[in-house]
Amino acid sequence: MLGESARAAGYRLIVRDEVASTMEEARRALGEGDPGRLWIVAKSQNAGRGRHGRHWGSPPGNLYASLLLVAPCEPALAPQLGFVAGLALHDAAAAVTGLSHPALALKWPNDLLIGGAKTSGLLLEGENRAGRFNVVIGIGVNVASAPEGTPYPAAHLSAHAADATVECLLAALSDAWHQRFSAWSLPGGFGPTRAAWLERAAYLGETITMRLPEGPVSGRFLGLDASGRLELEAEAGRRLIDAGDLYFGAAKPASQDRG
């Protein structure tokens, strides 16, 4: 199921019928000495999770994947991999559905939207082990179905491309990741990555609300700074935000964020 260029670059794939979490499977592989560049995909999960430990529903027919990277970068640069993964996911979804921006858009910091509805999310976790910094990127994509009863609109790929499958999405995603990660790894690579992400951003220039530890803050979404922090023009002035839940209008913060 991996794409041709991903396989040629040394990426490998493990497919499981059911696991507790592909993130945990990736951590287990790391503990067993896996060299990385490993995709782990499950047909279903019984303990999937997203950001802040939130539960991630995992019905069959959707993509549940984690990518293990061993020593991909310095710890300080690891958050940038979320933008790399987001671009790869956008590339893959565009290839499968034929959609493009603004119908297909990236919501800071970690969601893919179709028509403003959440279709996918990302989760990055890093850890130091044996003197190396390693990263696991979890990706959940609604391919065959979308959850119901969520506090936000949700969409799935097959509603826009009847022949969309986990297999074709993973092939496109693994190739797109290899290409985007290779470009990011070049000297100064985050500059083009940042520019490409902003070209596909949702709600750029519009009023948004960020849920932060000190409470919600509203303002105009100006863009990203040179390190990937969100730039917000709030009533009290310009703010740079490292992390938070972003939501719009009457929508409430998502309870099933994958990343």
Side-chain angles (χ1 to χ4, degrees):
M1 289 194 292
L2 293 187
E4 182 177 345
S5 67
R7 293 196 306 271
Y11 286 88
R12 297 165 295 121
L13 173 66
I14 294 175
V15 179
R16 306 291 192 203
D17 285 333
E18 183 180 63
V19 298
S21 161
T22 60
M23 297 290 285
E24 295 307 318
E25 290 295 304
R27 287 183 177 279
R28 182 176 296 110
L30 180 63
E32 294 172 352
D34 192 276
R37 294 199 172 195
L38 175 67
W39 285 92
I40 298 177
V41 173
K43 296 179 182 178
S44 66
Q45 301 179 121
N46 54 48
R49 58 188 173 82
R51 293 175 66 224
H52 312 304
R54 294 166 177 158
H55 174 69
W56 179 268
S58 305
N62 295 335
L63 176 65
Y64 312 110
S66 288
L67 173 60
L68 171 62
L69 301 171
V70 172
C73 61
E74 295 297 320
L77 299 180
Q80 296 179 10
L81 294 177
F83 298 102
V84 179
L87 283 172
L89 187 54
H90 191 283
D91 292 344
V96 169
T97 65
L99 297 173
S100 60
H101 187 270
L104 189 66
L106 294 169
K107 171 176 163 286
W108 186 91
N110 52 37
D111 290 345
L112 178 71
L113 308 179
I114 294 181
K118 178 167 175 163
T119 307
S120 174
L122 305 167
L123 174 64
L124 269 73
E125 293 184 348
E127 67 170 71
N128 287 294
R129 188 182 295 221
R132 295 183 299 184
F133 179 75
N134 311 297
V135 174
V136 178
I137 303 175
I139 302 174
V141 185
N142 299 331
V143 179
S145 64
E148 299 179 354
T150 59
Y152 54 86
H156 55 98
L157 299 185
S158 63
H160 303 271
D163 58 349
T165 64
V166 168
E167 291 78 10
C168 67
L169 177 63
L170 180 61
L173 176 59
S174 57
D175 276 350
W177 164 265
H178 168 56
Q179 293 156 10
R180 291 290 185 181
F181 179 69
S182 297
W184 173 82
S185 298
L186 296 173
F190 185 60
T193 296
R194 171 182 172 274
W197 193 95
L198 286 170
E199 289 174 356
R200 295 157 177 79
Y203 306 103
L204 186 63
E206 299 185 20
T207 297
I208 62 174
T209 298
M210 297 297 303
R211 188 180 66 178
L212 304 176
E214 66 269 26
V217 176
S218 297
R220 189 162 66 94
F221 179 17
L222 299 178
L224 305 175
D225 76 352
S227 64
R229 293 178 296 180
L230 183 142
E231 296 179 313
L232 188 71
E233 185 178 55
E235 184 176 345
R238 179 173 172 268
R239 294 190 60 170
L240 296 175
I241 298 172
D242 291 292
D245 287 323
L246 182 156
Y247 56 107
F248 315 93
K252 297 179 181 179
S255 63
Q256 285 192 312
D257 285 348
R258 173 76 185 188

